[in-house]
Amino acid sequence: MNSNAIQLEKLTVRAGRKTILAIDNLSIDRGELVGLLGPNGAGKTTLLRCLLGLQKHARGRVQVLGKDIKTLGARGLGLLRRRIGYVPQLLPSHSEMPLTVREVVAIGRTGIAGLFHPLRKRDWEIVDEWIERLGLSSLAAHGYTQISGGQQRKTLIARAMVQQPEVLILDEPTANLDMGWRERIVEIISEFYQLGNLTILLVCHELEVLPSCCNRIAIIDSGELVADGSPGDVLSEEMIRSLYGLGFDLLAGNGRYVVVPSEVAHA
Amino acid sequence: MLDLVFWAPVMIGGLLAGGSCGLLSVYIVGMRIPFLGVCVAHAALAGAVFGALAGLEGQMLLLPALGGAVVTATLLGLADPRKINMDANVVMGLLFSVTMGLAFVGFGLFSVLGKSDNDVRSLLWGSLNYCQWNDVTLMLIAFGLLVIFVLVFRKEMRAIMFSRLDAQAVGIHATAVWTVFLILAAMLITVNFQTVGGLMIYSLITNPAAAAFQLTKGNTRTMVLATILGAASGLGGFLLSAITDLPSGAVIVLVSSLVVMVAAVWARLQKR
């Protein structure tokens, strides 16, 4: 069995004539937790969408769980997506429908159950199990739009986990959350990593979102992979300044990292 | 003495039109695409106008109307907003303007050709004269098809309503299911618009859900409540129209709008 969960080779994605993503080589092993960093507009979300087959690539090969995305038809793509848990960057807001938290989590089982098959008792048991594991039991019957941003994010994480995925893709899972919620999400990601059989690709802006168990970081800037390695090798003040500009310092401790304005670091 | 020959199809037609549009409204409002009603109704109207120009009349006008509505719905379904970089409402606005333009060019051609446009003009406002047993049968078939669709694809539609992109990401064939839904919606709107009215059906595919969303939460409960509120609006509107001899579509609009207002006040009082 191929030990790579994700493999990109000479990947090029274009928007019109402009190349927005060009990655020569990137592979992620099964069971690995990789942090994907980069400034706004670097191409992180585009990369994630390529992995899900939601964004077509012009050239190269995108292989996920041994499947070449470009060769898959609609059915094959659907089957592959059911093995990938995806937590989007933006909280969906296209619906007026007052769906409950339990119903939103159950969306994760919908593709797996398949067309013409209702969700079975076992599907609902899995849904309730993850609602409980993520501490959402008391909110299960609440309307999704009536709960806080952090709780909504947890709901989407539960939705991804009920798929019992082999790959979990988290696109800025702590965006717009306060520090308390951010730490709770980081703890949850660490717990998922302890499961051992889950490949996690975590996209984030803030280094403090990376859990201490994250032992590999890939950095994208202007659509190109500019660094890939252990946090100790990749994260340097030079790198941070080249990405985000002068005036920032990098602090590290117990396997966690944080970027702060220089004036704070030197106060 | 109640004239059952007239009243029975009117009452059942009102229940079916209201109930089916009420159920449909959950998806229309859930997806924030209330414009679908006017868009598809005008496409159907354009089809009917050109059908009439070609010499069709009576029930036969339903065929070109259905054709126009289904073609428009299919185009809408296949137009993935993300891929064409255009919001669904903008696509609908575009199709609406084209179909409206076609319909009114067609109306202009009636006078150019010296023909009467009375048959198709009444489609704009709806008329109880159209509500006869064969119309009720068509309404029943359309409602039945919608109920079957909801039972079979409820979980997929729930996901699509939440987010079409997310539905695709979890492995749901969102475009296929969505396109089938839109075609079904087009059929239902076309079958109902000759009694409710092309312009007025807009309210019946938005108001029941707008009221139900105020009063309850959860997919199943909302759908059941919207169907009941739609049926009550349809029946109430048709009966009032028959009693007062006012246009059925206009009366249904007022009744269903009243239901939304009452629901909004009730919801506000409950929160106190």
Side-chain angles (χ1 to χ4, degrees):
Chain A
M1 191 170 78
N2 190 342
S3 68
N4 286 332
I6 294 167
Q7 187 154 23
L8 308 178
E9 287 172 20
K10 301 192 186 309
L11 170 68
T12 305
V13 181
R14 293 205 175 102
R17 290 181 181 175
K18 192 182 170 194
T19 298
I20 54 171
L21 196 63
I23 294 181
D24 199 40
N25 198 313
L26 177 68
S27 60
I28 298 173
D29 286 343
R30 288 176 193 255
E32 208 174 0
L33 165 55
V34 176
L36 185 63
L37 304 178
N40 282 331
K44 305 183 296 294
T45 300
T46 303
L47 171 58
L48 300 190
R49 289 190 171 177
C50 283
L51 298 178
L52 287 159
L54 293 169
Q55 168 90 47
K56 283 188 177 162
H57 55 281
R59 279 192 205 154
R61 197 158 68 124
V62 177
Q63 210 168 353
V64 182
L65 297 169
K67 307 283 182 192
D68 187 341
I69 297 280
K70 218 167 197 172
T71 63
L72 294 175
R75 185 177 147 72
L77 211 46
L79 290 171
L80 177 64
R81 285 171 182 162
R82 290 166 202 175
R83 300 164 67 192
I84 305 169
Y86 173 55
V87 179
Q89 182 187 120
L90 296 172
L91 298 172
S93 59
H94 294 296
S95 180
E96 288 286 326
M97 179 76 181
L99 292 178
T100 64
V101 166
R102 190 169 185 254
E103 285 174 333
V104 172
V105 175
I107 289 171
R109 296 298 299 173
T110 301
I112 292 164
L115 278 174
F116 309 112
H117 298 285
L119 293 183
R120 295 182 183 83
K121 194 177 164 218
R122 180 64 194 135
D123 293 309
W124 286 108
E125 281 171 2
I126 294 167
V127 167
D128 291 335
E129 193 182 304
W130 276 102
I131 284 176
E132 195 183 332
R133 282 177 79 164
L134 287 174
L136 293 165
S137 296
S138 62
L139 301 171
H142 282 56
Y144 173 79
T145 52
Q146 292 167 343
I147 60 176
S148 73
Q151 290 161 340
Q152 286 185 347
R153 197 71 69 167
K154 265 190 173 185
T155 304
L156 296 184
I157 292 173
R159 187 189 69 182
M161 290 309 288
V162 299
Q163 288 177 246
Q164 299 174 316
E166 293 164 63
V167 173
L168 178 64
I169 293 174
L170 300 147
D171 192 359
E172 297 188 31
T174 61
N176 305 321
L177 297 186
D178 63 40
M179 280 184 289
W181 268 109
R182 190 184 67 204
E183 279 310 298
R184 268 175 262 176
I185 300 288
V186 171
E187 277 171 31
I188 289 166
I189 297 167
S190 299
E191 284 169 25
F192 290 167
Y193 180 67
Q194 307 304 329
L195 296 172
N197 54 357
L198 184 62
T199 307
I200 303 173
L201 184 56
L202 169 61
V203 169
C204 56
H205 278 299
E206 303 152 316
L207 295 187
E208 47 267 49
V209 179
L210 296 172
S212 56
C213 55
C214 177
N215 47 25
R216 186 175 161 201
I217 288 173
I219 297 179
I220 295 181
D221 190 18
S222 304
E224 291 181 9
L225 186 68
V226 293
D228 180 10
S230 68
D233 291 338
V234 168
L235 295 176
S236 62
E237 299 214 334
E238 291 71 35
M239 175 60 79
I240 297 300
R241 286 171 185 165
S242 76
L243 292 174
Y244 302 107
L246 297 172
F248 294 101
D249 279 18
L250 178 69
L251 302 179
N254 294 326
R256 301 283 300 273
Y257 295 83
V258 61
V259 173
V260 295
S262 300
E263 54 193 10
V264 174
H266 300 297
Chain B
M1 179 75 183
L2 204 65
D3 179 8
L4 276 180
V5 175
F6 176 77
W7 283 93
V10 166
M11 287 191 287
I12 296 171
L15 272 173
L16 286 172
S20 54
C21 289
L23 181 55
L24 188 67
S25 71
V26 174
Y27 295 122
I28 303 286
V29 179
M31 289 291 288
R32 294 181 181 165
I33 50 166
F35 214 41
L36 178 76
V38 265
C39 179
V40 168
H42 278 82
L45 185 67
V49 166
F50 282 95
L53 282 169
L56 297 176
E57 53 188 31
Q59 282 279 326
M60 291 304 287
L61 282 177
L62 206 59
L63 291 174
L66 208 55
V70 167
V71 167
T72 304
T74 309
L75 287 173
L76 272 173
L78 297 178
D80 187 336
R82 197 174 43 85
K83 283 184 184 163
I84 60 171
N85 205 17
M86 208 183 263
D87 187 75
N89 281 301
V90 178
V91 180
M92 267 181 262
L94 191 67
L95 286 170
F96 165 63
S97 52
V98 170
T99 53
M100 188 174 64
L102 280 173
F104 284 92
V105 162
F107 276 121
L109 286 175
F110 278 103
S111 56
V112 171
L113 299 173
K115 289 184 172 183
S116 164
D117 62 359
N118 282 348
D119 257 14
V120 284
R121 199 166 280 278
S122 63
L123 293 176
L124 279 170
W125 311 108
S127 167
L128 290 179
N129 293 330
Y130 286 102
C131 199
Q132 292 160 8
W133 283 117
N134 49 358
D135 304 303
V136 171
T137 309
L138 284 175
M139 288 172 162
L140 185 64
I141 292 170
F143 190 21
L145 287 173
L146 180 65
V147 170
I148 292 169
F149 176 86
V150 168
L151 290 174
V152 174
F153 296 110
R154 196 172 57 145
K155 69 182 194 313
E156 282 80 12
M157 285 301 289
R158 185 169 57 199
I160 292 168
M161 263 197 295
F162 185 69
S163 158
R164 189 164 161 183
L165 181 68
D166 283 20
Q168 286 174 319
V170 299
I172 295 169
H173 299 294
T175 301
V177 175
W178 182 236
T179 305
V180 171
F181 165 74
L182 287 176
I183 291 171
L184 199 55
M187 286 169 62
L188 202 137
I189 290 168
T190 308
V191 165
N192 283 297
F193 95 138
Q194 55 184 347
T195 44
V196 180
L199 294 174
M200 305 302 183
I201 206 160
Y202 176 80
S203 75
L204 212 46
I205 61 165
T206 48
N207 287 350
F213 287 4
Q214 307 261 358
L215 301 172
T216 190
K217 56 181 178 289
N219 197 212
T220 310
R221 276 195 279 185
T222 310
M223 285 199 291
V224 171
L225 186 59
T227 308
I228 293 168
L229 293 177
S233 304
L235 179 62
F238 270 32
L239 287 176
L240 277 175
S241 163
I243 292 165
T244 57
D245 209 23
L246 291 169
S248 54
V251 178
I252 288 173
V253 169
L254 293 176
V255 171
S256 66
S257 301
L258 186 67
V259 170
V260 178
M261 283 187 265
V262 171
V265 172
W266 177 264
R268 189 159 279 241
L269 290 174
Q270 291 296 102
K271 281 178 189 165
R272 282 191 175 177

